Amino acid sequence: SFCLDVTSSVLSATANVDHILYWYGSNATGGSGSTSAPSAVTKTVGVYDYYVSQRNNLTSCESVRSKIVVTINETPGAPKADNVALCVGATSTSLIANASAGHTLLWYGSNATGGQSSKTAPIPSTNNKGSVDYYVSQLNNTTFCESPRTKLSITVFEIPTTPNLTRDTANYLSSSAINGNSWYKDGVLLNDTLTKFKPTASGAYSVKTLQNGCISPMSSIYY
């Protein structure tokens, strides 16, 4: 068995002592024998027959031909996986990809090509901001044919700075964060999300901001 489009598909057989193999390609009869083993054609999925005999070096008598049944298996599709956004210092978990039924995921770390695969999904670091690409393929558990690799981009964003609250002459509270604001009154989340907020009742007001999925610390309270 070979996988579709593999390059190393040389056939093999074992000759008796003092015998030499003669290969006939796909010819069950006739044709011209060759002492060089052929490579199976792996361009098309299917089942193909190849033939080989052995010839006695002393008598030059040749055996009947043996048939080698070659199966070319299809290449699995790449597994499904989504990019991941994390925050600096956040708890990180193992990456996730979806393998097809009857397949096993193979993880290659940051290797787009080459590298040693692992069945254990990596856990990306959140120590520093930045982006790292990880790669995963899937292996057919029956044919052992491997899919192309899927790229997962892991981006670690900084925690936003603590918003600063100021009050203008119209008695609006303004957050230094341009967007992503969540306003609180007495520690209870309000519906307002704009940069400016005008209190309608006495209380302790504060704000957080959400940037790239990362939440800032709570601002100082303004009463």
Side-chain angles (χ1 to χ4, degrees):
S1 293
F2 297 104
C3 300
L4 188 68
D5 286 332
V6 298
T7 55
S8 55
S9 60
V10 178
L11 301 181
S12 64
T14 302
N16 294 338
V17 176
D18 294 327
H19 289 67
I20 189 170
L21 294 173
Y22 273 79
W23 296 89
Y24 288 90
S26 59
N27 298 303
T29 59
S32 178
S34 171
T35 56
S36 299
S39 294
V41 178
T42 62
K43 294 296 183 182
T44 307
V45 172
V47 179
Y48 307 92
D49 295 335
Y50 291 81
Y51 294 88
V52 60
S53 68
Q54 60 178 350
R55 182 176 296 178
N56 188 297
N57 291 334
L58 299 177
T59 66
S60 297
C61 293
E62 187 174 352
S63 72
V64 297
R65 299 177 190 180
S66 294
K67 181 172 70 173
I68 300 176
V69 179
V70 174
T71 302
I72 309 301
N73 297 298
E74 64 180 354
T75 302
K80 304 292 185 181
D82 295 324
N83 296 332
V84 177
L86 299 169
C87 304
V88 170
T91 300
S92 181
T93 58
S94 300
L95 296 179
I96 296 174
N98 295 319
S100 304
H103 291 68
T104 299
L105 293 174
L106 297 178
W107 295 90
Y108 286 91
S110 58
N111 296 302
T113 59
Q116 181 65 43
S117 67
S118 172
K119 294 180 181 179
T120 302
I123 300 175
S125 171
T126 60
N127 292 335
N128 301 293
K129 70 173 183 178
S131 296
V132 178
D133 294 332
Y134 289 84
Y135 295 87
V136 60
S137 68
Q138 60 179 346
L139 184 74
N140 187 299
N141 297 333
T142 301
T143 66
F144 301 106
C145 293
E146 186 175 353
S147 75
R149 300 179 190 182
T150 296
K151 181 174 75 173
L152 295 81
S153 294
I154 312 303
T155 304
V156 180
F157 293 100
E158 282 188 317
I159 301 294
T161 57
T162 305
N164 182 42
L165 282 183
T166 57
R167 177 180 171 181
D168 63 18
T169 56
N171 291 320
Y172 279 90
L173 290 179
S174 294
S175 168
S176 59
I178 297 175
N179 52 47
N181 292 293
S182 296
W183 292 90
Y184 294 79
K185 177 181 179 294
D186 300 324
V188 178
L189 179 64
L190 303 175
N191 291 327
D192 296 84
T193 58
L194 299 178
T195 303
K196 286 187 174 184
F197 171 74
K198 189 168 188 177
T200 57
S202 298
Y205 289 88
S206 55
V207 66
K208 290 181 180 180
T209 182
L210 178 68
Q211 306 291 335
N212 299 312
C214 301
I215 301 175
S216 73
M218 185 74 81
S219 70
S220 297
I221 290 173
Y222 194 106
Y223 184 79

